Amino acid sequence: MESLFGDQDFFEKQSGNNFADVILPVPIPRMFTYKIPVAIRSQIQIGARVIVQFGKKKVLTGIIGKVHNKPPQAYEAKPILDVLDIQPSVNPLQIRFWVWMASYYCCHIGEVMHAALPSGLRLSSESKIQLNPNFDREESKYPLDFREEKILEALEKSEEITYEDCEKILGVKTIHPILKSLVAKEAILIFEKVQEKYTPKVETRLRLTKDIAESKTALEAVFEGIAGKPKQESILLKYLRDVPVFQKPQLNEKGVDKATLLEEGDSESSLKTLIKNGIFESFKLVVNRLGEEEPEKEASELSSTQQAALEEIKGHFESKSTVLLHGVTGSGKTEIYIKLIQEVLESGSQVLMLLPEIALTIQIVSRLKKVFGSQMGIYHSKYSDNERVEVWNGVLCGRFSFVVGVRSSIFLPFDSLGLIIVDEEHEPSYKQFDPAPRFHARDAATMLAYFHQAKTLLGSATPSFESYFNANQGKYGYVEINHRFGDASMPEFHLANLSADRKKNLLKLDSTRLMREKIQAALDKQEQVLIFQNRRGYSPYIQCEDCGWTGQCVQCDVSLTYHQFAEEMRCHYCGYKEKVPQSCPACGSTQLTTMGMGTERIEESLSLLFPEARMGRMDLDTTRNKYGYQRILDEFGAGQIDILVGTQMITKGLDFGKVTVVGIWDGDRILNFPDFRAGERAYQQITQVAGRAGRREAKGQVVIQSRDPENDLYEKVIKGDYFEFFRQEMIDRKKFYYPPYVKLVKITTRHSDFKIAEKAAHALHREMANIAAKKIVLGPEKGIIARIKNQYQFESLIKLDRNGNSQAVFKESLAKILEDLQSRPEFRSVRWIVDVDPS
DNA sequence: AGCACGCCGACT
DNA sequence: GTCGGCGTGCTC
């Protein structure tokens, strides 16, 4: 693989170079060398988008990664067909970042490009069909069959048609042979048409014609002219209400969007008449999809605690590039961020702020928008491709100097970052696990900051062990705030004993007496309740009471999850679904019951226990569409929901003073997860959920239901002594070689044949054991799920020394090993998936 | 990843 | 006989 990293001539503008190494969005571990035609040599720059032919017919958009003068030995390089950018879409810093990411996360640079570049910036190529100009129907020596005739007829009508058109014309799916035969008969030509995918948004706008807008008498005359035509009159009046043409003539210049002007009841024909009579004129305007908003510039004052924390952070930045801000929920971290962002922006640098996906739709964004207005870009995962391109270009041209976004916003084309903030840095959703690159946005962000010589601020109420460890080691600066803002008090914890209540027969629909009492008390005072249930490994399923049958996925070794609202059983791994059967497929019994306790079941139980309460539910099912999440939040905020049941999502961004009780339905479920991070996650989750209780005047109550209330993790959470918890957990982490003491690399071996998968996994194990380094190789073991999508899988775990250099050496050897194994005929169709720092 | 080429089953 | 299934090999 051609290495760009550390290559000295990399940034230099090259003049006499004949070849370019192009990054293409394909999962092949190398760049591709193309010839630079003399005609476009002056336009070739690192990071520019180019069009190249790849394979026999494919035309792809690539990025220039490197230019040089070494002709490839083994093949003839194809020419670059075109350069798309005058100013490169990608800057050299980004390419360094891509190269780093590919090597650190053991993936191909093309995969990084695929993740980084919005697909709207890639051109799409579509095969088009055209009549061959040299073809003469009469003189053709070859007879045409009726299908071929039909295609030619269509081509005589319109100049070019697509494959899809052909399929429609003939009503057949397989048109390729027909077209092939037509090409052979020299009747048609097939060519690739390349099109830019991004289309700017164009609005049709209307304004008064100049003569009328500039003269009151002209306008009066118009009114007289349309007297007795109420529809035209109403449109004109509405326009004048929105646009004071005489006070602010420049507003008439901009006009009004047609859709806004024509509301319900207004007829388009009246408007047409107005245009025809020269009163209105219509014109097209390119607008941006993201909307404009001017900042309100509220001057927010920091409390003395916040001010002190800010000074401390800045102090650490003098000597350290990364600072961990450990501030309890409600300590006002956002205000500190805002001050810091303002300062960096004023110094002329750019700022990136990362948020976990589910936190992005909420208050914090509108809060920031109010302060930063149109210089702030938002990069959301639910954005359409056109919207992504607009944010990308906004950063590129300097319109956005500050971006708030999800993990993929680390790929935006910043050229002078001064600060990256990673809020809720402990959130596991910062790690991407499928597809490659399987990067962690927090870790990648610190690397990105390093390339920019920028600072990184990690914020959390419950830091990840990795970050906390780094802070303890003095690698990161550490700033702690342990007061809630405005003296809101910390919540009061209660442990409700499930086993004891069951013995005493106090358990009703899986709720303890204490839980019911606390909920009832809140309802009596018209306060709100949040109930949390962990989703991971805790989904409801259908079981036969007579024979114990459960629905299994046909492609994966897992039980199907029951989804009540659709009466379906679904596989969470491959998406397979089937209707719930009427009777047991194994024994015919009709006694099928729901097992497990999903949010749906809890909601149902609670509405039986508290029939007068208004219930709401927030989970994947209810928030699947773009606005579902916001709608539930709005309803809850407006007090239209008394009890909200939900998964992880409810721990984010709910800041409503009326929540006084938070219930954790099954605390044990959070604790007993078979993972070395279980304790850490449990502490984080419980603390985060509890933080939603009583954020204003009333003291919050947190009820945790558990079969094992004696477990000392609860005690630690309740005490809130993070350091002590950390210290004890770390003893085990050290003893059993787990992060942050070591680095983990997980390799999954997959094949549809169990035997081959097993053999391949063992072969890999042997090879890895052979390479000398300070490391431990575990496995291979059958995956926790032995089969996914009909692929059997084995997992190996490698524990590496924290030392960065030996890691890099290992990863390089690993790449060689995998390439070698892959080339053996027996393992040709085996898939290997490398996950660095798995979550 | 696509996409072509190539060699075996079920249909007009 | 053909259509069309997906194994496997290649992409500068």
Side-chain angles (χ1 to χ4, degrees):
Chain A
M1 170 169 167
E2 291 88 332
S3 170
L4 291 170
F5 200 53
D7 205 328
Q8 277 313 305
D9 65 356
F10 173 61
F11 292 104
E12 286 171 28
K13 284 228 159 66
Q14 301 284 328
S15 45
N17 287 320
N18 293 313
F19 296 93
D21 290 345
V22 176
I23 305 168
L24 294 173
V26 288
I28 301 164
R30 75 192 89 108
M31 292 198 256
F32 296 85
T33 308
Y34 284 84
K35 235 180 346 215
I36 305 175
V38 182
I40 58 170
R41 186 165 297 163
S42 61
Q43 302 169 53
I44 298 286
Q45 300 175 71
I46 303 280
R49 291 180 299 155
V50 290
I51 299 286
V52 294
Q53 173 113 39
F54 185 69
K56 282 223 163 84
K57 57 179 287 197
K58 248 188 307 184
V59 177
L60 292 178
T61 306
I63 298 285
I64 302 279
K66 183 181 179 178
V67 283
H68 57 83
N69 222 338
K70 294 188 290 271
Q73 300 299 300
Y75 52 85
E76 177 75 14
K78 286 181 183 169
I80 290 173
L81 300 177
D82 207 355
V83 186
L84 293 171
D85 295 326
I86 300 164
Q87 189 205 351
S89 286
V90 178
N91 65 48
L93 228 52
Q94 285 177 279
I95 293 181
R96 276 178 75 190
F97 183 54
W98 292 5
V99 170
W100 167 79
M101 185 172 276
S103 74
Y104 185 87
Y105 288 106
C106 299
C107 65
H108 314 315
I109 188 140
E111 292 173 315
V112 181
M113 173 185 170
H114 194 82
L117 204 67
S119 59
L121 284 175
R122 297 199 299 265
L123 299 183
S124 61
S125 86
E126 198 179 11
S127 301
K128 301 262 185 170
I129 298 129
Q130 198 181 43
L131 267 183
N132 186 337
N134 301 325
F135 177 71
D136 190 324
R137 231 178 171 161
E138 266 67 72
E139 288 177 23
S140 173
K141 345 181 223 291
Y142 313 103
L144 301 174
D145 72 15
F146 79 100
R147 292 200 266 199
E148 293 170 348
E149 288 284 359
K150 264 186 154 174
I151 301 275
L152 287 187
E153 267 168 45
L155 278 169
E156 274 153 17
K157 281 195 205 95
S158 58
E159 218 163 279
E160 56 184 51
I161 57 175
T162 65
Y163 267 58
E164 274 181 12
D165 294 333
C166 294
E167 285 171 13
K168 269 193 220 123
I169 292 161
L170 299 179
V172 214
K173 267 258 156 273
T174 53
I175 47 164
H176 200 70
I178 301 161
L179 295 176
K180 221 170 151 181
S181 138
L182 278 168
V183 171
K185 292 173 185 170
E186 294 175 348
I188 61 166
L189 297 173
I190 298 178
F191 65 102
E192 293 293 310
K193 188 158 190 172
V194 178
Q195 271 164 331
E196 188 90 52
K197 267 200 261 176
Y198 168 72
T199 45
K201 187 175 169 188
V202 178
E203 267 178 14
T204 304
R205 295 180 79 87
L206 295 156
R207 64 184 167 213
L208 284 180
T209 49
K210 223 174 171 190
D211 297 346
I212 295 164
E214 281 171 1
S215 141
K216 282 194 180 173
T217 38
L219 183 62
E220 274 159 25
V222 167
F223 268 110
E224 275 166 34
I226 60 169
K229 290 165 182 152
K231 282 184 178 167
Q232 295 185 31
E233 204 169 17
S234 102
I235 293 175
L236 186 56
L237 280 171
K238 179 129 68 70
Y239 184 82
L240 291 171
R241 205 178 324 128
D242 291 349
V243 185
V245 283
F246 298 115
Q247 286 95 331
K248 291 184 178 170
Q250 70 277 17
L251 276 184
N252 187 57
E253 270 311 286
K254 280 170 119 183
V256 162
D257 174 33
K258 183 174 164 190
T260 328
L261 189 60
L262 284 183
E263 279 174 356
E264 70 286 354
D266 290 329
S267 74
E268 183 134 14
S269 67
S270 313
L271 182 63
K272 274 195 184 134
T273 317
L274 287 165
I275 295 170
K276 200 175 72 202
N277 295 339
I279 298 162
F280 275 106
E281 60 185 0
S282 92
F283 62 104
K284 305 270 181 200
L285 186 70
V286 175
V287 294
N288 73 63
R289 293 176 167 82
L290 309 166
E292 306 265 357
E293 203 176 324
E294 278 319 301
E296 293 173 12
K297 276 281 181 223
E298 9 182 316
S300 56
E301 284 298 310
L302 295 188
S303 72
S304 59
T305 319
Q306 289 170 321
Q307 187 62 41
L310 177 66
E311 294 306 326
E312 225 183 309
I313 292 168
K314 289 199 277 186
H316 282 305
F317 277 153
E318 300 278 314
S319 59
K320 287 173 175 140
S321 52
T322 307
V323 171
L324 173 62
L325 173 60
H326 182 185
V328 293
T329 322
S331 59
K333 291 194 286 288
T334 312
E335 269 60 43
I336 300 176
Y337 296 156
I338 289 174
K339 276 276 182 277
L340 211 50
I341 295 164
Q342 281 173 330
E343 286 179 22
V344 175
L345 290 178
E346 274 161 27
S347 79
S349 295
Q350 300 163 319
V351 179
L352 168 65
M353 177 163 171
L354 297 179
L355 286 174
E357 185 167 323
I358 42 178
L360 195 64
T361 40
I362 43 148
Q363 291 102 329
I364 187 163
V365 175
S366 51
R367 173 94 187 76
L368 292 166
K369 193 83 200 170
K370 275 194 184 130
V371 179
F372 296 102
S374 60
Q375 65 176 323
M376 176 180 117
I378 304 170
Y379 203 62
H380 198 279
S381 61
K382 282 180 180 160
Y383 269 4
S384 72
D385 219 71
N386 279 327
E387 289 169 315
R388 278 161 201 251
V389 175
E390 285 184 13
V391 180
W392 184 284
N393 288 336
V395 173
L396 202 62
C397 74
R399 188 156 81 91
F400 299 133
S401 44
F402 170 39
V403 173
V404 183
V406 292
R407 60 166 185 253
S408 54
S409 52
I410 57 171
F411 294 119
L412 288 168
F414 300 104
D415 58 6
S416 62
L417 277 172
L419 173 69
I420 304 180
I421 297 173
V422 186
D423 192 29
E424 313 246 25
E425 68 69 44
H426 64 279
E427 267 294 308
S429 65
Y430 278 127
K431 180 70 165 46
Q432 163 147 327
F433 42 75
D434 220 23
R438 299 177 172 78
F439 65 99
H440 196 298
R442 179 233 298 143
D443 302 342
T446 57
M447 200 59 194
L448 182 65
Y450 168 75
F451 286 141
H452 282 265
Q453 296 301 300
K455 305 293 179 192
T456 311
L457 178 63
L458 308 175
S460 176
T462 51
S464 65
F465 274 21
E466 276 82 357
S467 300
Y468 202 64
F469 180 78
N470 281 330
N472 265 288
Q473 301 267 306
K475 207 174 144 194
Y476 294 173
Y478 178 72
V479 176
E480 189 176 6
I481 315 176
N482 42 28
H483 306 291
R484 281 181 153 194
F485 184 69
D487 289 324
S489 50
M490 297 304 275
E492 198 178 297
F493 283 86
H494 307 274
L495 282 162
N497 193 328
L498 281 164
S499 325
D501 272 28
R502 174 159 292 143
K503 275 191 205 120
K504 290 186 236 152
N505 230 350
L506 289 170
L507 216 56
K508 281 190 199 161
L509 299 164
D510 295 290
S511 88
T512 53
R513 188 171 69 177
L514 186 62
M515 181 71 90
R516 293 195 300 276
E517 282 172 3
K518 291 290 177 191
I519 294 175
Q520 190 62 57
L523 293 177
D524 288 346
K525 283 183 275 177
Q526 255 108 73
E527 293 165 349
Q528 287 174 308
V529 178
L530 280 180
I531 302 291
F532 172 79
Q533 173 66 306
N534 191 16
R535 182 182 182 83
R536 263 180 102 184
Y538 202 18
S539 316
Y541 59 97
I542 298 277
Q543 189 167 41
C544 170
E545 284 185 15
D546 291 336
C547 71
W549 169 91
T550 59
Q552 294 293 119
C553 178
V554 290
Q555 314 188 67
C556 315
D557 283 343
V558 291
S559 306
L560 294 170
T561 303
Y562 174 53
H563 288 250
Q564 190 178 48
F565 77 112
E567 272 298 303
E568 271 173 2
M569 304 188 298
R570 291 191 194 160
C571 173
H572 281 188
Y573 289 88
C574 71
Y576 170 83
K577 60 187 177 191
E578 59 180 69
K579 284 274 165 215
V580 174
Q582 295 294 309
S583 57
C584 173
C587 71
S589 161
T590 50
Q591 301 297 307
L592 298 175
T593 45
T594 317
M595 305 295 286
M597 217 356 131
T599 43
E600 266 184 34
R601 263 285 285 285
I602 297 171
E603 184 190 8
E604 208 177 285
S605 304
L606 287 172
S607 52
L608 290 171
L609 292 167
F610 304 99
E612 76 287 3
R614 292 161 301 174
M615 303 291 307
R617 177 162 61 91
M618 174 138 78
D619 56 22
L620 264 181
D621 288 337
T622 57
T623 58
R624 208 170 293 274
N625 68 23
K626 198 166 175 177
Y627 303 106
Y629 183 78
Q630 197 58 46
R631 208 193 58 238
I632 297 169
L633 278 186
D634 290 346
E635 281 178 26
F636 193 70
Q640 291 157 5
I641 294 173
D642 298 314
I643 306 178
L644 181 63
V645 184
T647 53
Q648 247 74 321
M649 296 175 191
I650 64 168
T651 66
K652 293 285 167 284
L654 285 166
D655 179 12
F656 300 115
K658 277 172 72 192
V659 177
T660 53
V661 172
V662 165
I664 294 174
W665 203 254
D666 187 345
D668 306 336
R669 207 40 90 146
I670 305 177
L671 253 61
N672 303 327
F673 210 81
D675 179 300
F676 71 93
R677 262 190 258 266
E680 180 186 345
R681 290 270 158 80
Y683 190 104
Q684 287 164 350
Q685 270 185 23
I686 296 174
T687 309
Q688 297 276 341
V689 184
R692 301 298 126 201
R695 298 192 66 174
R696 305 261 163 82
E697 35 322 293
K699 195 175 177 77
Q701 309 278 317
V702 178
V703 184
I704 305 173
Q705 300 198 122
S706 168
R707 273 161 292 269
D708 178 23
E710 306 296 308
N711 194 314
D712 55 336
L713 188 125
Y714 293 124
E715 198 194 312
K716 288 174 199 152
V717 175
I718 292 165
K719 270 214 296 222
D721 190 345
Y722 195 77
F723 180 74
E724 179 54 22
F725 169 69
F726 171 79
R727 200 188 57 77
Q728 283 186 25
E729 283 277 303
M730 288 296 272
I731 296 170
D732 281 355
R733 297 273 182 107
K734 190 169 192 175
K735 195 156 90 193
F736 299 114
Y737 301 104
Y738 273 114
Y741 286 105
V742 297
K743 279 266 172 191
L744 293 183
V745 179
K746 188 173 88 179
I747 307 174
T748 309
T749 306
R750 278 195 192 157
H751 195 268
S752 52
D753 184 320
F754 181 88
K755 281 267 162 57
I756 294 176
E758 189 178 36
K759 218 174 139 198
H762 279 101
L764 171 69
H765 182 91
R766 274 195 304 278
E767 294 295 327
M768 285 195 300
N770 281 340
I771 52 176
K774 204 174 161 194
K775 65 179 181 337
I776 301 164
V777 183
L778 300 177
E781 279 179 51
K782 239 197 295 183
I784 307 174
I785 295 140
R787 183 180 54 127
I788 286 184
K789 284 193 201 171
N790 281 331
Q791 300 268 309
Y792 290 91
Q793 49 179 24
F794 286 80
E795 283 170 4
S796 304
L797 200 60
I798 299 102
K799 295 179 174 180
L800 298 169
D801 195 72
R802 274 182 68 80
N803 173 325
N805 193 38
S806 74
Q807 272 176 58
V809 171
F810 170 79
K811 285 172 189 167
E812 260 172 53
S813 329
L814 177 64
K816 284 207 191 77
I817 291 172
L818 288 178
E819 203 178 325
D820 178 59
L821 288 174
Q822 197 83 75
S823 69
R824 294 194 206 165
E826 48 182 334
F827 298 147
R828 215 178 343 240
S829 48
V830 172
R831 282 260 295 139
W832 273 289
I833 296 144
V834 182
D835 191 357
V836 178
D837 304 332
S839 51

